[in-house]
Amino acid sequence: AKIRFANTYRLEPYNKFRDYLVRDKAQAILTNRLQQAKYDGVASPSLCASISEEILKAVKELDFDRYKYVVSVLIVEKAGQAINVASRWVWDVQRDSWVSAQCETETFIALALVMACYYE
């Protein structure tokens, strides 16, 4: 039989999300994985997926309790264009947070977004 726990009615995490730790982890992963890479439009989707999984794993190892994460990685070829990236979500400004990290090479720009949503 599955064990059911009573609701604690706790509204704050014991280990609160610290954005500077996540930013440093995401920045290090982007830099290590993409520092010597060249842009390849065919391989970019799988590269984005593997980097986002690696960032998610690193963030989960930091062990912030009661958070769910969304990690999005975007790789854009440099072709002299401008880019705007926008996201929309329902947000609790007291408990939810987000972090961005970027890596720029000669041929592309990579952007990683990590959203941490508090889960009661």
Side-chain angles (χ1 to χ4, degrees), residues 29-69:
I29 290 169
L30 280 178
T31 304
N32 290 340
R33 292 285 304 271
L34 301 173
Q35 195 170 28
Q36 302 299 325
K38 299 286 184 196
Y39 180 78
D40 181 9
V42 175
S44 290
S46 61
L47 183 60
C48 287
S50 67
I51 291 172
S52 65
E53 288 174 9
E54 188 175 342
I55 291 172
L56 180 62
K57 183 179 175 186
V59 171
K60 285 184 176 181
E61 287 174 356
L62 293 172
D63 201 29
F64 302 121
D65 63 324
R66 293 185 167 227
Y67 282 96
K68 292 196 180 245
Y69 306 103

